[in-house]
Amino acid sequence: MSLLRTESEERKALIEVSSYDVTLDFTLGDELFGSRTELAFDCRTPGASTFVELIPHDVTSIVLNGTVIGQSAVRDGRLWLDGLQEHNVLVVEASMAYVHDGEGMQHTVDPEDGRTYLYASPSSSSAGRIYACFEQPDLKAPYRVRVKAPEDWRVIANGAGTDTRDGLHSFAETKPIATYFFTVCAGPFAVQTGEHDGISLGIYARATLAERLREQADEIFTVTGQGFDYYHRVYGIRYPWGKYDQVFVPEFNMGAMENPGCVTFRDEFIFPGRASRAEHLLRAVVVVHEMAHMWFGDLVTMQWWDDLWLNESFAEFLAQQCTAEATEFTEAWVDFSATRKNWGYAADRAPSTHPIAGSPAPDARAALENLDGITYPKGASALRQLAAYLGEDTFLAGVRNYLRAHEFGNATLHDFLQSMSAASGLDLDDWSRGWLLTAGTDVLAARVDGDTVTIERTTPADRPAQRPHVTDVAAFGGGIELGRADVRIDADRTRVHGLDLGASPKLLVPNATDRTWAIGALDEAAQRSIPDELPAISDPTVRGVVWSALLNGLALGTVDPATALDVFDAAWPHEEVEPLLEAVAMFASLFMPGRYFSPARTPSALERIARTGRTVLELEGISDSRRLTAARLVARTSADVSLLRGWAAGRDLPEFLVGDDQFRWSVIGRLASLGEVDDDEIDSWQEKDPSVSGVLRAIAARTRIPTEAAKAAAWARLTSSDRPNSHELSAVAANFFGHSDQQFTRPYVERFFEELPQLSGTLGDMLLHLLTREGFPVSVVEQRTVELAERALAGELPAGVRRSFVDGTSSLREHLRSQERFG
């Protein structure tokens, strides 16, 4: 039973938590672990009743203030407590079940060496699967933790380790933290240690990644140190959590989690093969994103889940800024424009769009539904606008005041805006109403009006809002910047001052520095000019904004896919900013074929994309990272079986890719899609690469084979697993519906909408939402798919599944509209 907001308010008014003392025993086998919780709390109304969250396998004993409580007090995931005193001590001993879907105490076995790894992932409503607790964000308390584990294991927790004897690990008491930040990681982890500015640092990963960890630790330590220096300067408050460990764990459902003192990451961030600069940049952004939370989210925590956006939006904003200003990855904002913002624009035009703030979260699980492109990049863009609106110094003064006023406590959007108003002297109600409390994205179009330029702002008709934009506009001709001017847009038509064109521009780019959240409109004349203009524009941010306008124009039905492909052919080989190069390549190869291009037109589109990739691959004097991006593009799109076979065997490859298992699997995956490899051959490749990555890549390749037998086997794995593995299921879901195998997958479209929701009884909410989102048959661009989705939406669905179906159906309609108009 998910905690209701009304219940959390009643419980907050009744009790105050003093401390947790948690002991976990990981020596009981592969199914269960022991959990003992001693919970001290005060009750403001003695004699009252309340409950703690507890989802045990079996209860050993429950004692409240010295009185034994019967097991019948545990019902529907709650332990009910009656007759509370002013000061209370609850002691619960139980055996708990390990989980395999990432929501609770995750148990994972590395297939490469058979060794076990554990980590606690409480999410918003799973802490009760690990220990007895008051599971809501505004009942924070200090933790003392002890863990019994096999003697050859390392154990990492929020607090620093203080003692280890006979396999019993003890940890220092933490500062007050919320239940969803509690974690323990245990297993035969490899470790690299360091120190920065008096802060003890540790980086952990599976033993089979020890060599890779050793090779990559210096870069992670460097980014970590740069992050600490930046945040100490920005926040004006030293890191408050003692030591700082970063644990790269297997089968993690999220990208990372900001547990104070013990951040957990997907272990794919310890790169198993050659990685592009874009991948290194992404890892740096994620590292400093989680670090930003140590203050904004951990030190000051939201009062309830409806303000989760503030934690994530702020960390997203500061992570981009920190990466761009404090690390070697100065192109972070360009990457944000090309990748993160386009994710957000798609979310904001979907029927499931919602305001950045103020979205109702009636229960704890509902919070997870809005962890999307609105909460992250749109929220970050709004905060970037707020900084521009108020001025950087004033904005930071407000942030520091907010943190100092609420440190180790909880706060709300109202508290944040109060701090900003106090720092600036401005009433921010109107700004907040337009930016934070109203959904939708404005469209900006720049027009030449005589000898002046006018910006036309169009707000969504069904969500009118007054959003001021602090931004700019730039004019180009022959790739040369003819002029640029700052502009503050607070009306539907705004005349731009200070832009002396001097010549007739071929291309006008509103929001050229990408400071605001708005889609740039491209008329037909501008679209015709882009193949010539874009390759010659020297400013990478402008190039990113133009690409974004093209890609969103595809979705809005204002840009012909053939035009976008012409631009790709003309401009992509000249792109030198590698994250932008990679972002455009991913969109061109994964989203346009079979979606914006019909099945009949897809083979020729793929051929052109592959040819462009080979053009870059054969250029002289380019970086290995650019060459890697080009090689991956060719591997995803080429139908040249002879070339792909040679690459799989290690022939005719760039030298740096010889022996790279990850690249080889990309090639094998494409051969599988073409029907050129079978199960036996995939088995032989997996024998050469028994790693976790190899297992997942092999599953993906088998799923992509275009035969009835392969699809039947993959579907059975997805829907009938007795012991589901989250990453293996994700590998099946993400690769099941392709654009070239529809004669075999079309019968499964109806089954997708009928059978996937039924997995809610066996899979966690987060995993099921992930599978239905990644597996949605968005490439089967047919009216029948829309009708089946609508039929499913007319019935009862788990909340996360409904959100996936709504968003997937919206994308399908975009693809259908484009194919009908331009196909």
Side-chain angles (χ1 to χ4, degrees), residues 347-409:
D348 210 16
R349 64 174 173 264
S352 62
T353 187
H354 54 87
I356 296 171
S359 294
D363 62 78
R365 288 178 183 166
L368 300 177
E369 296 173 35
N370 288 337
L371 288 176
D372 56 16
I374 297 169
T375 296
Y376 287 87
K378 184 180 181 182
S381 298
L383 292 173
R384 194 181 188 192
Q385 269 293 288
L386 183 59
Y389 187 77
L390 301 179
E392 191 76 25
D393 291 343
T394 300
F395 178 80
L396 290 180
V399 169
R400 291 167 183 159
N401 291 341
Y402 170 81
L403 292 173
R404 292 191 186 102
H406 303 285
E407 63 180 354
F408 298 112

Side-chain angles (χ1 to χ4, degrees), residues 262-397:
C262 185
V263 179
T264 43
F265 298 82
R266 297 175 74 95
D267 68 2
E268 289 92 335
F269 283 121
I270 302 298
F271 306 127
R274 176 73 65 164
S276 67
R277 180 173 176 85
E279 290 169 311
H280 284 271
L281 184 155
L282 174 61
R283 182 171 68 187
V285 169
V286 174
V287 166
V288 298
H289 175 111
E290 303 311 319
M291 188 180 296
H293 278 308
M294 296 299 117
W295 291 264
F296 221 102
D298 295 5
L299 180 65
V300 180
T301 306
M302 75 233 158
Q303 185 169 306
W304 180 247
W305 299 105
D306 55 354
D307 277 328
L308 181 58
W309 76 272
L310 186 56
N311 293 1
E312 297 302 343
S313 298
F314 201 88
E316 177 98 349
F317 164 61
L318 267 191
Q320 301 296 332
Q321 196 152 286
C322 172
T323 305
E325 295 180 10
T327 78
E328 68 171 280
F329 301 105
T330 55
E331 69 273 40
W333 281 116
V334 178
D335 179 67
F336 181 75
S337 174
T339 55
R340 304 291 286 180
K341 288 187 78 170
N342 287 315
W343 169 43
Y345 289 140
D348 210 16
R349 64 174 173 264
S352 62
T353 187
H354 54 87
I356 296 171
S359 294
D363 62 78
R365 288 178 183 166
L368 300 177
E369 296 173 35
N370 288 337
L371 288 176
D372 56 16
I374 297 169
T375 296
Y376 287 87
K378 184 180 181 182
S381 298
L383 292 173
R384 194 181 188 192
Q385 269 293 288
L386 183 59
Y389 187 77
L390 301 179
E392 191 76 25
D393 291 343
T394 300
F395 178 80
L396 290 180

Side-chain angles (χ1 to χ4, degrees), residues 708-766:
E708 288 185 12
K711 295 302 180 183
W715 190 258
R717 179 189 284 270
L718 180 62
T719 59
S720 307
S721 177
D722 293 332
R723 188 166 177 170
N725 175 295
S726 59
H727 282 207
E728 291 182 5
L729 294 183
S730 180
V732 175
N735 289 278
F736 191 86
F737 291 103
H739 53 72
S740 61
D741 56 5
Q742 292 182 9
Q743 69 186 95
F744 303 106
T745 60
R746 192 171 283 108
Y748 290 93
V749 174
E750 185 169 5
R751 296 181 65 180
F752 175 86
F753 292 111
E754 291 179 351
E755 296 178 25
L756 266 292
Q758 296 175 20
L759 299 178
S760 61
T762 57
L763 301 180
D765 295 339
M766 186 184 298

Side-chain angles (χ1 to χ4, degrees), residues 500-705:
D500 183 11
L501 297 179
S504 179
K506 292 289 185 67
L507 183 63
L508 284 172
V509 182
N511 192 29
T513 52
D514 204 30
R515 276 180 287 175
T516 195
W517 179 266
I519 294 173
L522 298 170
D523 60 23
E524 290 185 5
Q527 292 181 40
R528 287 193 299 270
S529 74
I530 289 175
D532 294 325
E533 293 292 319
L534 189 57
I537 293 174
S538 61
D539 186 332
T541 301
V542 173
R543 297 198 301 273
V545 169
V546 173
W547 275 117
S548 180
L550 278 169
L551 303 183
N552 285 286
L554 285 171
L556 294 170
T558 60
V559 172
D560 188 335
T563 299
L565 190 53
D566 289 342
V567 176
F568 180 81
D569 281 348
W572 192 78
H574 301 278
E575 183 55 64
E576 295 183 351
V577 174
E578 291 164 22
L580 184 53
L581 183 86
E582 185 160 312
V584 174
M586 292 294 283
F587 186 89
S589 61
L590 298 180
F591 288 87
M592 289 176 64
R595 300 190 188 187
Y596 291 106
F597 287 112
S598 67
R601 298 177 66 194
T602 286
S604 61
L606 286 172
E607 182 180 352
R608 286 183 65 184
I609 294 168
R611 185 168 62 244
T612 303
R614 293 191 71 169
T615 297
V616 173
L617 190 57
E618 293 165 5
L619 291 175
E620 297 290 337
I622 65 172
S623 68
D624 283 351
S625 182
R626 280 184 72 190
R627 205 177 299 277
L628 173 62
T629 298
R632 286 174 172 173
L633 177 66
V634 176
R636 288 195 300 270
T637 57
S638 178
D640 186 339
V641 174
S642 177
L643 172 73
L644 297 173
R645 281 285 183 190
W647 281 5
R651 297 191 304 272
D652 303 321
L653 276 172
E655 184 177 348
F656 68 89
L657 283 176
V658 174
D660 189 314
D661 288 333
Q662 300 304 295
F663 181 74
R664 181 183 292 114
W665 278 117
S666 297
V667 175
I668 294 167
R670 177 60 177 159
L671 286 167
S673 294
L674 296 170
E676 294 291 335
V677 295
D678 58 18
D679 279 335
D680 291 340
E681 186 170 354
I682 293 171
D683 287 343
S684 70
W685 288 115
Q686 188 178 337
E687 287 177 6
K688 298 173 184 177
D689 179 18
S691 67
V692 169
S693 178
V695 170
L696 296 176
R697 297 293 191 108
I699 290 170
R702 291 189 187 95
T703 301
R704 297 172 74 173
I705 295 173

Side-chain angles (χ1 to χ4, degrees), residues 733-813:
N735 289 278
F736 191 86
F737 291 103
H739 53 72
S740 61
D741 56 5
Q742 292 182 9
Q743 69 186 95
F744 303 106
T745 60
R746 192 171 283 108
Y748 290 93
V749 174
E750 185 169 5
R751 296 181 65 180
F752 175 86
F753 292 111
E754 291 179 351
E755 296 178 25
L756 266 292
Q758 296 175 20
L759 299 178
S760 61
T762 57
L763 301 180
D765 295 339
M766 186 184 298
L767 177 56
L768 186 56
H769 176 47
L770 175 70
L771 295 180
T772 50
R773 186 184 72 219
E774 291 189 345
F776 193 95
V778 72
S779 60
V780 188
V781 186
E782 299 170 355
Q783 185 60 36
R784 176 177 176 270
T785 310
V786 173
E787 292 167 358
L788 290 170
E790 290 175 339
R791 187 174 75 185
L793 287 166
E796 293 293 324
L797 293 170
V801 174
R802 177 171 296 278
R803 173 69 181 271
S804 297
F805 285 6
V806 167
D807 291 351
T809 306
S810 175
S811 295
L812 270 173
R813 289 196 178 99

Side-chain angles (χ1 to χ4, degrees), residues 97-299:
Y98 291 119
V99 301
H100 304 280
D101 61 4
E103 297 181 49
M105 183 62 71
Q106 175 72 15
H107 180 285
T108 296
V109 176
D110 188 330
E112 191 167 355
D113 64 4
R115 303 179 83 180
T116 297
Y117 295 87
L118 310 174
Y119 58 91
S121 184
S123 185
S124 65
S125 56
S126 298
R129 298 180 185 276
I130 304 167
Y131 64 106
C133 59
F134 292 108
E135 190 171 20
Q136 60 189 74
D138 60 349
L139 289 177
K140 299 169 77 170
Y143 281 75
R144 293 185 299 273
V145 176
R146 283 173 291 277
V147 176
K148 187 176 182 182
E151 293 194 5
D152 62 335
W153 282 16
R154 287 190 168 95
V155 181
I156 313 100
N158 300 99
T162 58
D163 188 39
T164 303
R165 297 182 185 179
D166 301 323
L168 184 64
H169 303 253
S170 300
F171 297 89
E173 183 175 84
T174 70
K175 300 287 188 181
I177 64 175
T179 53
Y180 77 103
F181 292 139
F182 170 87
T183 197
V184 169
C185 305
F189 285 102
V191 63
Q192 296 289 309
T193 59
E195 182 269 343
H196 181 81
D197 193 17
I199 303 167
S200 175
L201 307 177
I203 307 174
Y204 297 80
R206 288 178 288 117
T208 51
L209 290 174
E211 183 177 353
R212 296 291 187 182
L213 176 64
R214 188 163 50 250
E215 294 168 351
Q216 298 171 43
D218 283 349
E219 180 180 321
I220 298 171
F221 279 135
T222 296
V223 170
T224 301
Q226 291 166 333
F228 273 124
D229 293 344
Y230 181 84
Y231 291 133
H232 283 156
R233 184 169 67 253
V234 166
Y235 289 128
I237 299 172
R238 274 193 63 82
Y239 172 69
W241 304 105
K243 56 88 176 179
Y244 193 73
D245 290 322
Q246 298 174 91
V247 188
F248 293 80
V249 297
E251 298 179 7
F252 199 43
N253 283 348
M254 298 174 284
M257 182 62 202
E258 64 269 21
N259 317 300
C262 185
V263 179
T264 43
F265 298 82
R266 297 175 74 95
D267 68 2
E268 289 92 335
F269 283 121
I270 302 298
F271 306 127
R274 176 73 65 164
S276 67
R277 180 173 176 85
E279 290 169 311
H280 284 271
L281 184 155
L282 174 61
R283 182 171 68 187
V285 169
V286 174
V287 166
V288 298
H289 175 111
E290 303 311 319
M291 188 180 296
H293 278 308
M294 296 299 117
W295 291 264
F296 221 102
D298 295 5
L299 180 65

